[in-house]
Amino acid sequence: MNIIKIIFVIIISFCINLKVYAEPVHKNDYDVVGQVGIPTGVIFNPSGTKMYVTGFNGNSGRVAQYSLSVPYSTSSGVSLDANIITEIAAVLKRPQDIKFNSDGSKVLVLSTKSIDGDKDSIAIWSLGTPYDITTISSTGVSEKILSNDPRGFDFNTDGTKMFILLATTNQIEQFDLTTPYDPSDIDITLPKATLSNLKGDSYHQGFGFSSDGYKMFVIKADRNTDDTELNIIEEYDLTTPFEIATASKNEKTYNTQTASEGNMRIAGITFNFSQGANKFYHLDFDDNKLVREYDLPCAYGIISCMNPTSNKDDVGSVEAQSEVSKKLIQHTTYPVLNRMEWLRRNKDSSNLTNQNIKFQFSNEILASLSNLITPSSLTSNNTSTAEPQFGNWSYWSEGTVSVGKVGDTGASSAKNINSSAITIGADRRNDKNRMFGFAFRFGSDDIDVGNLGSALDMNALSLTVYETRPKGKNMFMDSLIGISAINTNLLNNSGSISTDGEREGKQIFASIKFRETFTKEKLNITPNIKLDLGFTSLSDYTETGAEGLNLKFNRQDTGTVITSIGSVIDNAINIDNGIIKPNIQLEYNADISPSSKQEFEYASNGTSYILENINSSTHNYRGSFGFDLITDNGFSLMTSYERNQSKGNGHSDNIYFGGSYISKRNETYAFSLDGSETFNTKLNYKRDLNGIGIKVSSNYSLMSEIPDYGATIEVSNKF
């Protein structure tokens, strides 16, 4: 039985490896000898409906344009639009490669010198119709003189970098361009970078990049028919996109020639970029004059499939989803725990409503949430009494703003995390001096990953039920349990290719905290120990926008176990009109959560990958300081600043704030701020006069170009 298992594992492993490293499949050959003579360069328009081939017949340069009835397919429905000879041959003798600028209004053709001593150069023509060389302008052509037998050229995605392959020196040179796709002002003797490790007794006849700039492929054509290294494609990995100084050669190569195909020399290379690079093309310019079309097992899979786990932005995006989901538990529990801490510090107060500011937001979900629970100061006609009113509900709210960053690692890009949230809750005290309540939280996290524009927008709605109960005179146990619904919009930008997706998630969490207060005069020291538990399930989703480059992500489950130990120090200081209570908190957190993994695959072919050990155990320190201000006339203010510092290279800064006013004369005031572009403000004044309710409201738009203000008076009575 064990032998059978071993054989089974070997077979499965072999199949997986075969799948990952499957070679390109030769699809079709298209003969172009009648149009261009010796073909040297090939490219497509962005939609794949046009194909362009450069070449020469003797010393007569030419470019042929073909229409394709099926995008990127040379198998059928190929027709010749035009074979441009006169305009090309008048300037260039032996064209080697062809490119367009970003909008197709210009065509650039690279040429090497011919046997009659003509020049190496890049010539640029304007086109009357984008990507239509039949509208080429014979006037206004510009030319940049080069040297060292150039055989290919390419640009980065925005045309600000140009690369030239030189056969004489066996190297690729990189230049920065002042104007995109315009090499007129470069100094060809001063390249920014040079890749000089192109070795071997072969002609280097072309090269090309992946759309994100992390891969480069170089064509090596046979110099002599008896070479042992014939017509191969080499793959280079770049650690920084489109920076050839960071390039290193892949160990594997792909040989395009088989024994049955006879003499061959290959040139030119391109991909079907707009359809996910699941095809590639090269030219045969020896015995046969062909455009050769291949199907790829995966995007850019000439040598092997591009492994998304080696892309730092892809890894960073996966890590961010998992990390923010875990942090959501802490971000949700902190305001509730802050509330219970506030109740402890103000247990003798007759007013247990705090942070009673009303927020209004243009976001519909946030607006509905903020109006879900109306603060007690806006609804109650009861006067404040000297004694707490058991059985009455107290209401509270808390806003949070967080700015954080996780630094770059060897495997993952840096992440900037900006968070904002509002929490609204209600609680009541029973006759056993226990306090229980519930809270709603709506939060938004915006995460930028890397420097190419990848980003996540995560929104979460949470419901928490909590309780604080005394375990002695000065000992308390705080506990809570809650659920969250998560929605994440994802954008993955790798240069010219962008994908997006939407992912749902569910979360359940709980927290328990023990604290005991030691008091000396008005100074309180409260050591505490806390345990956070949670489980998050992120749904499966499939990216869109990049055809064969789209990735399908399986469901990801993440467990959370975080232990904390810390202490709070606070003091009460009497002032002329009330009391101020500064507080300091120090906490050590040990994240001992089990590591999670993310399984994903190319949606086009099922080639699968696993990213393991996501967000393994970490440790961080949390420190905060702030104050409570409570005045005799019913005004209260709470604010604090918090710093979370990872033991590694990450941190976040959080600000909590809130305020309230309850008049002892049966008067209430509330100020609201609308988060729209016009910054609408509203002030409410309410007073109970011998059972008659009087309410005065006024509104004003601070930033509106059109005057928008008004006032209302309401009079009510209860019968």
Side-chain angles (χ1 to χ4, degrees), residues 76 98 136 295 514 553 556 631:
S76 63
I98 180 173
I136 193 170
D295 287 340
F514 291 92
F553 291 79
Q556 181 187 3
T631 65

Short mmCIF file of all heavy atoms in Angstrom, two decimals, residues 76 98 136 295 514 553 556 631:
data_model
loop_
_atom_site.label_atom_id
_atom_site.label_comp_id
_atom_site.label_asym_id
_atom_site.label_seq_id
_atom_site.Cartn_x
_atom_site.Cartn_y
_atom_site.Cartn_z
N SER A 76 -6.40 31.62 -40.38
CA SER A 76 -7.37 31.85 -41.45
C SER A 76 -7.77 33.31 -41.46
O SER A 76 -7.61 34.02 -40.47
CB SER A 76 -8.61 30.95 -41.26
OG SER A 76 -9.28 31.27 -40.05
N ILE A 98 9.86 46.93 -35.61
CA ILE A 98 8.83 47.94 -35.76
C ILE A 98 8.09 48.12 -34.44
O ILE A 98 7.81 47.14 -33.73
CB ILE A 98 7.84 47.58 -36.89
CG1 ILE A 98 6.75 48.65 -37.05
CG2 ILE A 98 7.23 46.20 -36.66
CD1 ILE A 98 5.85 48.43 -38.25
N ILE A 136 0.66 56.36 -44.15
CA ILE A 136 1.98 56.87 -43.77
C ILE A 136 2.29 58.15 -44.53
O ILE A 136 1.95 58.31 -45.71
CB ILE A 136 3.06 55.80 -44.02
CG1 ILE A 136 4.38 56.18 -43.34
CG2 ILE A 136 3.24 55.54 -45.51
CD1 ILE A 136 5.41 55.04 -43.35
N ASP A 295 0.71 28.72 -29.19
CA ASP A 295 -0.12 28.83 -27.99
C ASP A 295 0.75 28.60 -26.77
O ASP A 295 1.62 27.71 -26.77
CB ASP A 295 -1.26 27.81 -28.00
CG ASP A 295 -2.35 28.16 -29.00
OD1 ASP A 295 -2.42 29.33 -29.41
OD2 ASP A 295 -3.12 27.25 -29.37
N PHE A 514 -9.45 41.19 31.26
CA PHE A 514 -9.49 41.32 32.72
C PHE A 514 -8.64 42.53 33.11
O PHE A 514 -7.52 42.71 32.60
CB PHE A 514 -8.96 40.07 33.42
CG PHE A 514 -9.84 38.87 33.28
CD1 PHE A 514 -9.66 37.97 32.25
CD2 PHE A 514 -10.88 38.65 34.17
CE1 PHE A 514 -10.48 36.86 32.11
CE2 PHE A 514 -11.69 37.54 34.05
CZ PHE A 514 -11.50 36.65 33.03
N PHE A 553 -8.86 33.17 -7.55
CA PHE A 553 -8.47 32.96 -6.16
C PHE A 553 -9.50 32.08 -5.47
O PHE A 553 -10.70 32.35 -5.52
CB PHE A 553 -8.35 34.29 -5.41
CG PHE A 553 -7.20 35.14 -5.86
CD1 PHE A 553 -7.27 35.89 -7.02
CD2 PHE A 553 -6.03 35.19 -5.12
CE1 PHE A 553 -6.22 36.66 -7.44
CE2 PHE A 553 -4.97 35.97 -5.52
CZ PHE A 553 -5.06 36.71 -6.69
N GLN A 556 -10.21 31.80 1.06
CA GLN A 556 -9.12 31.85 2.03
C GLN A 556 -9.69 32.00 3.43
O GLN A 556 -10.47 32.91 3.70
CB GLN A 556 -8.17 33.01 1.74
CG GLN A 556 -7.00 33.10 2.70
CD GLN A 556 -6.16 34.35 2.50
OE1 GLN A 556 -6.48 35.19 1.66
NE2 GLN A 556 -5.09 34.50 3.26
N THR A 631 -17.06 68.94 31.85
CA THR A 631 -17.32 70.23 32.49
C THR A 631 -18.62 70.18 33.29
O THR A 631 -19.48 69.32 33.09
CB THR A 631 -17.40 71.35 31.43
OG1 THR A 631 -18.54 71.11 30.59
CG2 THR A 631 -16.13 71.38 30.58
#
